Structure formats: structure tokens, C-alpha cells
Amino acid sequence: MSVRTVGQAARTAFDPAVYLVTDTTQCGGPAGVVATVRAAVAGGATAVQLRDPDASTRELAELGAALLAVLRPAGVPLVVNDRIDVALAIGADGAHVGQGDLDPVTARRLLGPEAHLGLSVSTTREAAAAAALPPGTLDLLGVGPVRTTTSKANARPAIGVDGLAAITAAARAAGAPPCVAIGGLRAGDLPALRAAGAVGAAVISAVCGTPDPRAAAAALAAAWQAR
Amino acid sequence: MSVRTVGQAARTAFDPAVYLVTDTTQCGGPAGVVATVRAAVAGGATAVQLRDPDASTRELAELGAALLAVLRPAGVPLVVNDRIDVALAIGADGAHVGQGDLDPVTARRLLGPEAHLGLSVSTTREAAAAAALPPGTLDLLGVGPVRTTTSKANARPAIGVDGLAAITAAARAAGAPPCVAIGGLRAGDLPALRAAGAVGAAVISAVCGTPDPRAAAAALAAAWQAR
């Protein structure tokens, strides 16, 4: 396991345009996650989040270390969902927490000032609460689910592109970090999301488990760039 | 949530004689865990481990903070099972890891030198591996399950008192940390376990969910002292 310190990548290096969130089951197991991430990065994925709430801590750390071996040479950042201990253990670039994970202030304290930290929000109220946190706590808000998603158990109701636009606008007005859209997104959704103020699209099933994850990521990257 | 740093209690203050491991379900929920811990400490529990693999990270941190509010005034240490991030977040006295959690060297690095760190082992081979870790990595081995346990899913086969004695002897010969017995233990087992070389007995169901956790802990403490 790597002994890197969190935050080797500068916080400014995190580009969430095409942000792949991994799903071990959809990828067919840990080796499939590594293969999917490698292909997605070749296709244009700009950031990766390791998410596997069913893995043991050791399994998650081993998978994270394997992903870092793929991502460091590519210059693509890796964050870990929920598990700050695993992020610290493997020297990831940061973490992403949900409303049921460690509170962002505590997560920031554990990660240190240089790590990337994102927070999931589903309402304008949660976005306003995020904006009220001490400056430097958060780097990114994950806003959704935009569409109905099957990748997360107990996901909240879909907010739609209009909901994404409303939360993004509220977040901007309140001085919150930029918003990345998430939840059931396909390449065709991306131009509208960008127009609505999102700085990127986080995807799971649009890449994981598809026949050609490289092509899937390339289609997302192209759609994000489309004007 | 507390902002204490891990390790306020000196490592030498950890007495595992009557070591309560919490089970939220058996205790009837988080409030039941707090009540059980309060009663058990009044009865003579000497150390507490927070364990709840089904809780969200935030639920676990909130429960841990509530337990610290009970345990600090009593001078009884609290460690967190598996979740180094939660231990750090709440300022617990340390952590306990299993063979599927973060490896002990990484856990020690994240916790710092003053925190308590325990490791579960079930075989003489695992005890020997623990002994081979760098000095100062581990403070305690949890050895078991001695009896068949219903408190942990996928527990390994029971090793019995003879197995506990064999592993404890092997650990001592190899220079490993002291061994606390765990797994389906009742008060009547404790004299034999102490005679077999254990430095304490870790219990779940002998206290959690019993009608009188204070009396249950007192019976364990008395049994441990019996000669």
C-alpha cells in the first residue's frame, strides 16, 4: 500500500468535467473497476471517485491503491467516497462525503488543507448549509440525483435538470463551491447541464459495465465540450 | 462532536480485563448502547470498543461522541472498531482492527504513536505475523472466537480455551502484544481464560441486551478477579 500523504495533487488540478464514480458490481469486481478506470481515463475521464460501500476496509484500500497506480501516471485525481481513513491510508487526492458521512468540517480537518473534498447535496437548503461552512472546507458540491438512478440504494427523488439549475444558482448566489451534476446521466444530458451551470457530470452506469468504457467516456467528454 | 486529538489517554491506561464490545442491535439502538455502556462501567467494565458495521459513518461518529461523554468522566478508554476515521474524528483513545480492515502499520500511522491499537487474530500464524510487525504497532491482540458467537456474522470457527491458550503462548513466545479473549464468553469462563494467559475478556452478548448490564459487568469483573 502506498504511503503517500493526501494532497500531492494540488486542489486546483481537480477537473470534474467527466467525473467517473466507480461501482464494483457493475464493473464485475475489483479487477473490472481497474480496467474500467484505465479505459475511461484513456477516453477522457477527468476525475475518479472510488465508491464501494460493500467492500471491507482492506478491500477498499487495496482497490484504491490499484487505481492510484493507474491514475498517477495519467495525472487524473482519485477521491474516496465516505472513507476518510482509506483516503489517508492510500494517499488519495481527497474524499467525497454524503449527508450521512462525517461532517465536512471534520472531514477537512482529518484530510488536511490540500486535499480535495466534495459534498453531496440534494436541495437548495443543503447547498445553503454548504455555503455557510468555513471557507476552504469544500471544493465541490455533487448535486442530484438529476435522473432516476439505479446505482445507489435509497437514492433521493430525481431533481431533474430544472432542479439542478435551481440548486446550482442558489449555491452560486450563496457563495458555495461549484456544482457537479450526478444521477442517471447520459451523454445527451450534458449540454443542458452545462448550460444550467454545472461544472461537470459525475457518472456511474454511463461508463461502468458498458461494453466499451473508453468510448463511453469519450462520448461524455465530447458531449461536455459541445456548444 | 468532540475535536479532541486521539491519544489523550496514555496507552498504559488501557486495562482490557472486562472489555465491552458494543452491539447496537442487541442494545436496542444507539440510546441503548449509551445506557448499556454507562451501566457496564458502573458495574466494572474497564474498556469499551464501539462496533457497528451497519451504522452510517455519521451515526457511528455521533454514537462514539455520546459514549466519550460517558467514558471520559469515568476514566475508561474508548476504541473504535475498524473505522480509523471515526476514531480520529471523535478523539477516541484508539482503534481495533480485524484481518479485513486497514493493516496495522497503516492504522498506527494514521492514529499516531499514543493511541491504543488492537488486532483480531484467530490462529497462531496470525499471532506470529502480529509479533513480526514493527515495535509499537500493536498494543493488544483480540484472540477468538473462544466460543461459538452469534454477535458477528461470518465469525470463524470457535477455538476453545485450549486454542486460546495455544495462541496466547505462541504470541508470548514470539514477543507479540498481550492477548484478550473474545467470542461467546460468560463469567464462568473467565478464570480458565486468565489461567490460560489472557489479560482480559472481551464480551458482547454477556452484557449487551441483558436485563441488568451493570450486574452482568460486575459478575464478569468478579469472575476475572477470582483465583
Side-chain angles (χ1 to χ4, degrees), chain A residues 96 99 119-123 126-127 130 141-145 156 159 167 179:
Chain A
H96 184 92
Q99 298 288 325
L119 172 70
S120 295
V121 302
S122 295
T123 64
E126 289 174 351
L141 299 183
V143 180
R156 298 195 192 180
I159 61 174
I167 293 173
C179 296

Side-chain angles (χ1 to χ4, degrees), chain A residues 20 32-45 70 207 212-218:
Chain A
L20 174 62
V33 173
V34 176
T36 299
V37 165
R38 182 180 287 113
V41 167
V70 169
V207 171
D212 187 345
R214 178 174 176 156

